[in-house]
Protein backbone atom coordinates (compact mmCIF):
# COMPACT_ATOMS: atom_id res chain seq x y z
CA UNK A 1 0.00 0.00 0.00
CA UNK A 2 1.47 3.29 -1.04
CA UNK A 3 1.37 6.47 0.97
CA UNK A 4 -1.02 7.91 -1.59
CA UNK A 5 -3.57 5.09 -1.12
CA UNK A 6 -3.38 5.58 2.63
CA UNK A 7 -3.98 9.29 2.33
CA UNK A 8 -6.85 8.67 -0.07
CA UNK A 9 -8.47 6.15 2.28
CA UNK A 10 -8.19 8.51 5.23
CA UNK A 11 -9.63 11.31 3.10
CA UNK A 12 -12.63 9.22 1.98
CA UNK A 13 -13.30 8.06 5.51
CA UNK A 14 -13.11 11.61 6.85
CA UNK A 15 -15.48 12.73 4.11
CA UNK A 16 -18.03 10.02 4.97
CA UNK A 17 -17.74 10.81 8.67
CA UNK A 18 -18.23 14.52 8.01
CA UNK A 19 -21.23 13.80 5.81
CA UNK A 20 -22.84 11.53 8.41
CA UNK A 21 -22.09 14.04 11.13
CA UNK A 22 -23.62 16.96 9.28
CA UNK A 23 -26.74 14.96 8.36
CA UNK A 24 -27.18 14.09 12.04
CA UNK A 25 -26.62 17.68 13.07
CA UNK A 26 -29.23 18.95 10.62
CA UNK A 27 -31.66 16.22 11.64
CA UNK A 28 -31.22 17.08 15.29
CA UNK A 29 -31.83 20.77 14.80
CA UNK A 30 -34.77 20.32 12.41
CA UNK A 31 -36.58 17.54 14.23
CA UNK A 32 -37.85 18.77 17.54
CA UNK A 33 -38.89 15.96 19.84
CA UNK A 34 -42.69 15.86 19.97
CA UNK A 35 -43.12 15.62 23.74
CA UNK A 36 -46.78 16.61 23.92
CA UNK A 37 -48.11 13.50 22.22
CA UNK A 38 -46.38 11.30 24.75
CA UNK A 39 -47.40 13.43 27.73
CA UNK A 40 -51.03 13.32 26.54
CA UNK A 41 -50.94 9.54 26.31
CA UNK A 42 -49.47 9.22 29.82
CA UNK A 43 -51.85 11.82 31.25
CA UNK A 44 -54.82 9.88 29.84
CA UNK A 45 -53.84 6.86 31.95
CA UNK A 46 -53.49 8.77 35.21
CA UNK A 47 -56.61 8.89 37.43
CA UNK A 48 -56.90 12.72 37.33
CA UNK A 49 -57.50 12.99 41.07
CA UNK A 50 -54.95 15.85 41.14
CA UNK A 51 -54.15 14.64 44.67
CA UNK A 52 -50.42 15.49 44.45
CA UNK A 53 -49.48 12.36 46.39
CA UNK A 54 -46.78 11.76 43.79
CA UNK A 55 -45.16 15.02 45.00
CA UNK A 56 -46.02 16.72 41.73
CA UNK A 57 -48.69 19.44 41.75
CA UNK A 58 -51.10 17.38 39.66
CA UNK A 59 -51.54 14.57 37.17
CA UNK A 60 -50.31 16.55 34.15
CA UNK A 61 -47.01 17.59 35.80
CA UNK A 62 -46.49 13.98 36.87
CA UNK A 63 -47.16 12.83 33.29
CA UNK A 64 -44.52 15.30 32.08
CA UNK A 65 -42.08 13.97 34.67
CA UNK A 66 -42.75 10.36 33.60
CA UNK A 67 -42.05 11.32 29.99
CA UNK A 68 -38.67 12.58 31.20
CA UNK A 69 -37.95 9.34 33.06
CA UNK A 70 -39.62 9.61 36.49
CA UNK A 71 -40.73 6.33 38.11
CA UNK A 72 -44.20 5.09 37.12
CA UNK A 73 -45.14 3.77 40.56
CA UNK A 74 -45.84 7.01 42.40
CA UNK A 75 -49.60 7.19 41.91
CA UNK A 76 -51.49 5.70 44.89
CA UNK A 77 -55.03 6.44 43.59
CA UNK A 78 -54.23 4.69 40.31
CA UNK A 79 -52.63 1.75 42.07
CA UNK A 80 -51.57 -1.44 40.34
CA UNK A 81 -53.90 -0.98 37.35
CA UNK A 82 -52.36 2.39 36.45
CA UNK A 83 -48.82 1.12 36.92
CA UNK A 84 -49.56 -1.82 34.64
CA UNK A 85 -51.13 0.41 31.98
CA UNK A 86 -48.17 2.81 32.12
CA UNK A 87 -45.66 -0.04 31.94
CA UNK A 88 -47.42 -1.37 28.87
CA UNK A 89 -47.55 2.04 27.20
CA UNK A 90 -43.93 2.88 27.86
CA UNK A 91 -42.42 -0.59 27.68
CA UNK A 92 -41.07 -0.33 31.21
CA UNK A 93 -40.96 -2.82 34.07
CA UNK A 94 -44.06 -3.22 36.22
CA UNK A 95 -43.08 -2.04 39.69
CA UNK A 96 -44.94 -2.35 42.99
CA UNK A 97 -46.50 0.90 44.20
CA UNK A 98 -44.08 3.24 45.97
CA UNK A 99 -45.79 3.23 49.38
CA UNK A 100 -43.88 6.30 50.55
CA UNK A 101 -46.35 8.26 48.41
CA UNK A 102 -49.39 6.59 50.00
CA UNK A 103 -51.54 3.50 49.67
CA UNK A 104 -54.32 2.70 47.24
CA UNK A 105 -57.78 3.35 48.67
CA UNK A 106 -61.20 2.51 47.27
CA UNK A 107 -62.91 5.41 45.44
CA UNK A 108 -64.09 8.04 47.87
CA UNK A 109 -65.45 11.56 47.93
CA UNK A 110 -65.39 14.38 50.44
CA UNK A 111 -68.52 15.50 52.29
CA UNK A 112 -68.80 18.61 54.43
CA UNK A 113 -70.87 18.21 57.61
CA UNK A 114 -72.78 21.33 56.92
CA UNK A 115 -74.04 22.09 60.41
CA UNK A 116 -70.41 22.23 61.64
CA UNK A 117 -69.01 24.35 58.79
CA UNK A 118 -68.03 27.87 59.91
CA UNK A 119 -67.62 29.29 56.36
CA UNK A 120 -63.90 30.04 56.62
CA UNK A 121 -63.20 29.41 52.89
CA UNK A 122 -59.86 27.72 53.74
CA UNK A 123 -60.83 24.57 51.88
CA UNK A 124 -61.69 26.42 48.66
CA UNK A 125 -58.12 27.12 47.43
CA UNK A 126 -57.01 23.68 48.60
CA UNK A 127 -59.36 21.92 46.19
CA UNK A 128 -57.47 21.19 42.94
CA UNK A 129 -60.65 20.79 40.88
CA UNK A 130 -62.76 23.63 42.39
CA UNK A 131 -65.38 21.18 43.60
CA UNK A 132 -66.22 23.13 46.78
CA UNK A 133 -68.62 26.05 46.65
CA UNK A 134 -69.06 28.58 49.41
CA UNK A 135 -68.25 32.12 50.52
CA UNK A 136 -66.94 33.89 53.60
CA UNK A 137 -69.38 33.36 56.46
CA UNK A 138 -71.61 31.04 54.49
CA UNK A 139 -71.84 27.29 54.63
CA UNK A 140 -69.72 25.37 52.07
CA UNK A 141 -70.58 22.22 50.22
CA UNK A 142 -68.88 19.72 47.93
CA UNK A 143 -70.14 19.26 44.39
CA UNK A 144 -70.16 15.48 44.39
CA UNK A 145 -69.83 15.01 40.67
CA UNK A 146 -66.55 16.97 40.51
CA UNK A 147 -64.91 15.68 43.69
CA UNK A 148 -61.94 13.39 43.00
CA UNK A 149 -61.49 12.25 46.60
CA UNK A 150 -57.97 13.64 46.87
CA UNK A 151 -58.23 14.50 50.60
CA UNK A 152 -56.42 17.81 50.07
CA UNK A 153 -59.28 19.75 51.72
CA UNK A 154 -59.15 17.82 54.99
CA UNK A 155 -55.93 19.31 56.37
CA UNK A 156 -56.84 23.01 55.96
CA UNK A 157 -60.25 22.70 57.66
CA UNK A 158 -59.94 24.28 61.15
CA UNK A 159 -63.01 22.55 62.57
CA UNK A 160 -62.52 19.13 60.95
CA UNK A 161 -65.94 19.06 59.40
CA UNK A 162 -64.91 17.29 56.18
CA UNK A 163 -65.27 13.53 56.03
CA UNK A 164 -64.38 11.06 53.29
CA UNK A 165 -67.10 8.61 52.35
CA UNK A 166 -66.88 5.63 50.02
CA UNK A 167 -68.11 6.35 46.54
CA UNK A 168 -69.53 3.98 44.00
CA UNK A 169 -70.02 5.04 40.47
CA UNK A 170 -73.65 3.90 40.22
CA UNK A 171 -75.06 6.42 42.68
CA UNK B 1 -40.30 -12.56 -8.83
CA UNK B 2 -38.97 -16.14 -8.43
CA UNK B 3 -35.61 -14.56 -7.59
CA UNK B 4 -37.15 -12.58 -4.73
CA UNK B 5 -38.95 -15.65 -3.45
CA UNK B 6 -35.70 -17.59 -3.40
CA UNK B 7 -33.95 -14.75 -1.54
CA UNK B 8 -36.75 -14.64 1.02
CA UNK B 9 -36.81 -18.41 1.58
CA UNK B 10 -33.04 -18.44 1.76
CA UNK B 11 -32.71 -15.62 4.28
CA UNK B 12 -35.76 -16.38 6.43
CA UNK B 13 -35.50 -20.14 6.69
CA UNK B 14 -32.42 -21.72 5.16
CA UNK B 15 -29.77 -19.20 6.16
CA UNK B 16 -31.60 -17.79 9.16
CA UNK B 17 -29.30 -15.15 10.61
CA UNK B 18 -29.77 -16.26 14.22
CA UNK B 19 -30.24 -20.00 14.13
CA UNK B 20 -28.02 -20.95 11.20
CA UNK B 21 -25.42 -18.18 11.00
CA UNK B 22 -25.41 -17.59 14.78
CA UNK B 23 -25.34 -13.80 14.49
CA UNK B 24 -27.40 -11.53 16.73
CA UNK B 25 -27.49 -13.97 19.62
CA UNK B 26 -27.16 -11.15 22.17
CA UNK B 27 -30.61 -9.64 21.49
CA UNK B 28 -32.05 -13.14 21.20
CA UNK B 29 -31.09 -13.89 24.79
CA UNK B 30 -31.19 -10.34 26.13
CA UNK B 31 -34.53 -9.05 24.87
CA UNK B 32 -36.64 -12.20 24.89
CA UNK B 33 -37.82 -12.02 28.50
CA UNK B 34 -41.14 -10.40 27.58
CA UNK B 35 -42.92 -10.94 24.25
CA UNK B 36 -43.83 -7.28 23.77
CA UNK B 37 -40.23 -6.16 24.31
CA UNK B 38 -39.20 -8.75 21.75
CA UNK B 39 -41.70 -7.29 19.30
CA UNK B 40 -40.26 -3.79 19.81
CA UNK B 41 -36.72 -5.03 19.29
CA UNK B 42 -37.79 -7.01 16.23
CA UNK B 43 -39.41 -3.94 14.66
CA UNK B 44 -36.44 -1.68 15.36
CA UNK B 45 -33.93 -4.20 14.08
CA UNK B 46 -36.00 -4.93 10.97
CA UNK B 47 -36.07 -1.27 10.03
CA UNK B 48 -32.33 -0.83 10.51
CA UNK B 49 -31.46 -4.13 8.84
CA UNK B 50 -33.37 -3.37 5.66
CA UNK B 51 -32.03 0.18 5.37
CA UNK B 52 -28.41 -0.75 6.09
CA UNK B 53 -28.50 -3.60 3.59
CA UNK B 54 -29.42 -1.07 0.88
CA UNK B 55 -27.10 1.72 1.93
CA UNK B 56 -24.06 -0.45 2.47
CA UNK B 57 -24.65 -2.12 -0.89
CA UNK B 58 -24.63 1.31 -2.57
CA UNK B 59 -21.54 2.45 -0.67
CA UNK B 60 -19.71 -0.73 -1.48
CA UNK B 61 -20.62 -0.82 -5.17
CA UNK B 62 -20.22 2.86 -6.02
CA UNK B 63 -17.53 4.01 -3.63
CA UNK B 64 -15.39 1.28 -2.15
CA UNK B 65 -14.98 -1.09 -5.10
CA UNK B 66 -14.32 1.56 -7.83
CA UNK B 67 -11.58 3.16 -5.69
CA UNK B 68 -10.19 -0.19 -4.45
CA UNK B 69 -10.93 0.64 -0.83
CA UNK B 70 -12.46 -2.72 0.15
CA UNK B 71 -10.20 -2.82 3.19
CA UNK B 72 -12.17 0.11 4.63
CA UNK B 73 -15.43 -1.85 4.45
CA UNK B 74 -15.74 -2.74 8.13
CA UNK B 75 -15.01 0.72 9.51
CA UNK B 76 -17.15 2.52 6.91
CA UNK B 77 -20.09 0.21 7.58
CA UNK B 78 -19.86 0.65 11.33
CA UNK B 79 -19.77 4.42 10.84
CA UNK B 80 -22.77 4.39 8.51
CA UNK B 81 -24.82 2.03 10.67
CA UNK B 82 -24.14 4.08 13.80
CA UNK B 83 -25.17 7.29 12.02
CA UNK B 84 -28.26 5.67 10.54
CA UNK B 85 -29.40 4.39 13.92
CA UNK B 86 -28.85 7.81 15.44
CA UNK B 87 -30.80 9.42 12.61
CA UNK B 88 -33.69 6.98 13.06
CA UNK B 89 -33.60 7.76 16.76
CA UNK B 90 -34.07 11.48 16.04
CA UNK B 91 -36.78 10.89 13.44
CA UNK B 92 -38.70 8.57 15.72
CA UNK B 93 -38.45 10.99 18.62
CA UNK B 94 -39.99 13.70 16.47
CA UNK B 95 -42.66 11.63 14.72
CA UNK B 96 -43.71 9.15 17.36
CA UNK B 97 -42.32 9.72 20.85
CA UNK B 98 -44.49 6.87 22.05
CA UNK B 99 -42.75 4.36 19.79
CA UNK B 100 -39.47 5.97 20.78
CA UNK B 101 -40.25 5.29 24.45
CA UNK B 102 -41.21 1.70 23.70
CA UNK B 103 -38.10 0.99 21.65
CA UNK B 104 -36.10 3.05 24.15
CA UNK B 105 -32.72 1.48 24.71
CA UNK B 106 -33.15 -1.10 21.91
CA UNK B 107 -32.58 1.39 19.13
CA UNK B 108 -29.09 2.54 20.22
CA UNK B 109 -28.28 -1.08 21.05
CA UNK B 110 -28.75 -2.03 17.39
CA UNK B 111 -25.63 0.00 16.59
CA UNK B 112 -23.55 -2.77 18.10
CA UNK B 113 -25.79 -5.60 16.90
CA UNK B 114 -23.66 -8.12 15.06
CA UNK B 115 -26.64 -9.22 12.92
CA UNK B 116 -26.80 -5.75 11.34
CA UNK B 117 -23.09 -5.61 10.58
CA UNK B 118 -23.24 -9.23 9.44
CA UNK B 119 -25.96 -8.44 6.92
CA UNK B 120 -24.07 -5.35 5.79
CA UNK B 121 -20.96 -7.39 5.11
CA UNK B 122 -22.81 -10.33 3.55
CA UNK B 123 -25.01 -8.13 1.38
CA UNK B 124 -21.88 -6.82 -0.35
CA UNK B 125 -21.03 -10.28 -1.64
CA UNK B 126 -24.39 -12.04 -2.09
CA UNK B 127 -26.92 -9.76 -3.87
CA UNK B 128 -26.41 -8.51 -7.39
CA UNK B 129 -28.38 -5.24 -7.33
CA UNK B 130 -29.79 -2.65 -4.95
CA UNK B 131 -33.23 -4.21 -5.32
CA UNK B 132 -32.06 -7.68 -4.31
CA UNK B 133 -29.89 -6.19 -1.56
CA UNK B 134 -32.99 -4.59 -0.03
CA UNK B 135 -34.91 -7.87 -0.25
CA UNK B 136 -31.92 -9.60 1.27
CA UNK B 137 -32.03 -7.17 4.22
CA UNK B 138 -35.78 -7.51 4.57
CA UNK B 139 -35.64 -11.31 4.45
CA UNK B 140 -32.96 -11.39 7.11
CA UNK B 141 -35.04 -8.97 9.20
CA UNK B 142 -38.10 -11.21 8.90
CA UNK B 143 -36.02 -14.23 9.87
CA UNK B 144 -34.58 -12.42 12.87
CA UNK B 145 -37.96 -11.08 14.01
CA UNK B 146 -39.61 -14.46 13.64
CA UNK B 147 -37.01 -16.26 15.73
CA UNK B 148 -36.92 -13.50 18.35
CA UNK B 149 -40.71 -13.52 18.79
CA UNK B 150 -41.01 -17.31 18.79
CA UNK B 151 -38.20 -17.51 21.31
CA UNK B 152 -39.77 -14.85 23.55
CA UNK B 153 -43.04 -16.79 23.64
CA UNK B 154 -41.19 -20.03 24.35
CA UNK B 155 -39.42 -18.35 27.25
CA UNK B 156 -42.71 -16.99 28.56
CA UNK B 157 -43.95 -20.60 28.70
CA UNK B 158 -40.69 -21.78 30.25
CA UNK B 159 -41.21 -19.48 33.24
CA UNK B 160 -44.34 -21.37 34.22
CA UNK B 161 -43.08 -24.88 33.53
CA UNK B 162 -41.39 -27.27 35.91
CA UNK B 163 -37.66 -27.10 35.12
CA UNK B 164 -34.90 -28.81 37.14
CA UNK B 165 -33.19 -26.24 39.29
CA UNK B 166 -29.79 -26.49 37.63
CA UNK B 167 -31.36 -25.70 34.21
CA UNK B 168 -33.39 -22.69 35.27
CA UNK B 169 -32.75 -19.34 33.59
CA UNK B 170 -30.03 -19.05 30.96
CA UNK B 171 -29.19 -22.79 30.56
CA UNK B 172 -32.70 -23.80 29.52
CA UNK B 173 -32.92 -20.74 27.26
CA UNK B 174 -29.71 -21.74 25.49
CA UNK B 175 -30.89 -25.36 25.17
CA UNK B 176 -34.17 -24.14 23.67
CA UNK B 177 -32.25 -21.99 21.20
CA UNK B 178 -30.10 -24.99 20.33
CA UNK B 179 -33.17 -27.15 19.67
CA UNK B 180 -34.68 -24.45 17.49
CA UNK B 181 -31.41 -24.26 15.59
CA UNK B 182 -31.50 -28.04 15.05
CA UNK B 183 -35.04 -27.72 13.71
CA UNK B 184 -33.93 -25.06 11.25
CA UNK B 185 -31.15 -27.37 10.03
CA UNK B 186 -33.98 -29.24 8.36
CA UNK B 187 -34.31 -26.46 5.80
CA UNK B 188 -30.78 -26.91 4.49
CA UNK B 189 -30.77 -27.64 0.78
CA UNK B 190 -34.10 -25.94 0.05
CA UNK B 191 -32.33 -22.87 -1.36
CA UNK B 192 -28.81 -21.60 -1.53
Amino acid sequence: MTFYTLLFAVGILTLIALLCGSILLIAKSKLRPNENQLVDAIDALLPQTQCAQCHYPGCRPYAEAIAKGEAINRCPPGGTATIQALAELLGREVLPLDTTTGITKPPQIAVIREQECIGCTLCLPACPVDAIVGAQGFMHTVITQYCTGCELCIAPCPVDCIAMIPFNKKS
Amino acid sequence: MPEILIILISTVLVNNIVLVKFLGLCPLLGVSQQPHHALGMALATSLVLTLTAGITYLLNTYLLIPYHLEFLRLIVFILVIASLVQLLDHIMQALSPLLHQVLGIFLPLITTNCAVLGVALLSTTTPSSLFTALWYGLGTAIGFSMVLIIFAHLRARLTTSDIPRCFQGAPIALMTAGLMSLAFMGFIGMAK
Side-chain angles (χ1 to χ4, degrees):
Chain A
M1 191 194 297
T2 61
F3 182 69
Y4 174 73
T5 338
L6 191 73
L7 212 62
F8 186 61
V10 170
I12 288 278
L13 202 60
T14 317
L15 212 67
I16 296 174
L18 271 177
L19 197 72
C20 290
S22 39
I23 290 175
L24 281 184
L25 202 70
I26 294 168
K28 188 155 195 185
S29 58
K30 292 270 177 202
L31 300 166
R32 289 261 159 265
N34 185 352
E35 284 282 330
N36 276 342
Q37 201 187 333
L38 179 65
V39 174
D40 285 342
I42 297 171
D43 198 32
L45 294 178
L46 293 174
Q48 304 305 321
T49 50
Q50 317 297 346
C51 63
Q53 289 183 75
C54 51
H55 304 315
Y56 289 93
C59 294
R60 182 84 191 176
Y62 181 42
E64 281 164 11
I66 291 178
K68 292 202 175 77
E70 171 65 286
I72 56 171
N73 61 345
R74 302 183 61 93
C75 181
T80 328
T82 299
I83 295 173
Q84 246 156 19
L86 285 171
E88 196 140 317
L89 176 78
L90 303 169
R92 295 202 204 159
E93 294 280 317
V94 177
L95 301 165
L97 180 70
D98 184 353
T99 44
T100 57
T101 57
I103 52 164
T104 309
K105 295 173 185 166
Q108 53 181 4
I109 51 167
V111 195
I112 295 178
R113 285 190 291 275
E114 287 156 1
Q115 62 276 24
E116 292 170 32
C117 176
I118 54 170
C120 67
T121 72
L122 284 178
C123 56
L124 300 190
C127 180
V129 291
D130 278 343
I132 305 177
V133 282
Q136 191 74 49
F138 290 91
M139 179 198 79
H140 304 342
T141 195
V142 176
I143 308 169
T144 328
Q145 88 188 90
Y146 295 135
C147 179
T148 63
C150 67
E151 302 185 0
L152 287 177
C153 51
I154 292 181
C157 181
V159 292
D160 281 336
C161 70
I162 304 176
M164 301 305 295
I165 59 163
F167 169 73
N168 56 20
K169 279 187 180 147
K170 283 173 202 156
S171 59
Chain B
M1 199 59 206
E3 192 193 5
I4 293 167
L5 200 66
I6 287 171
I7 291 177
L8 281 183
I9 290 176
S10 159
T11 48
V12 176
L13 297 175
V14 183
N15 294 313
N16 188 290
I17 190 99
V18 184
L19 295 179
V20 179
K21 295 214 165 116
F22 303 116
L23 290 170
L25 286 174
C26 10
L28 182 74
L29 293 171
V31 208
S32 55
Q33 304 279 13
Q34 282 171 329
H36 73 274
H37 283 177
L39 189 68
M41 183 68 181
L43 283 176
T45 315
S46 300
L47 197 62
V48 176
L49 263 177
T50 315
L51 286 176
T52 44
I55 289 177
T56 50
Y57 176 81
L58 286 179
L59 268 177
N60 191 56
T61 320
Y62 296 107
L63 186 73
L64 298 184
I65 290 177
Y67 293 105
H68 304 290
L69 291 172
E70 288 92 339
F71 59 91
L72 280 181
R73 209 178 262 162
L74 199 61
I75 191 162
V76 167
F77 287 0
I78 289 177
L79 186 68
V80 170
I81 293 170
S83 311
L84 188 72
V85 169
Q86 207 60 45
L87 186 67
L88 276 178
D89 197 57
H90 288 323
I91 293 176
M92 215 169 267
Q93 206 166 20
L95 293 183
S96 168
L98 206 62
L99 195 64
H100 183 260
Q101 275 267 331
V102 173
L103 295 182
I105 187 71
F106 303 138
L107 209 59
L109 268 181
I110 296 169
T111 315
T112 52
N113 187 337
C114 41
V116 177
L117 189 64
V119 167
L121 288 173
L122 290 172
S123 74
T124 58
T125 52
T126 322
S128 54
S129 72
L130 176 64
F131 188 63
T132 47
L134 282 173
W135 278 104
Y136 187 82
L138 185 69
T140 314
I142 295 171
F144 177 82
S145 308
M146 184 180 71
V147 172
L148 188 63
I149 291 165
I150 292 175
F151 194 61
H153 283 275
L154 281 176
R155 278 190 93 170
R157 285 177 187 216
L158 281 178
T159 55
T160 56
S161 51
D162 186 22
I163 301 160
R165 206 160 171 199
C166 55
F167 286 141
Q168 274 170 16
I172 193 78
L174 284 168
M175 283 163 75
T176 316
L179 287 174
M180 281 171 76
S181 179
L182 274 180
F184 269 71
M185 294 285 173
F187 290 116
I188 282 180
M190 263 177 76
K192 219 167 83 178

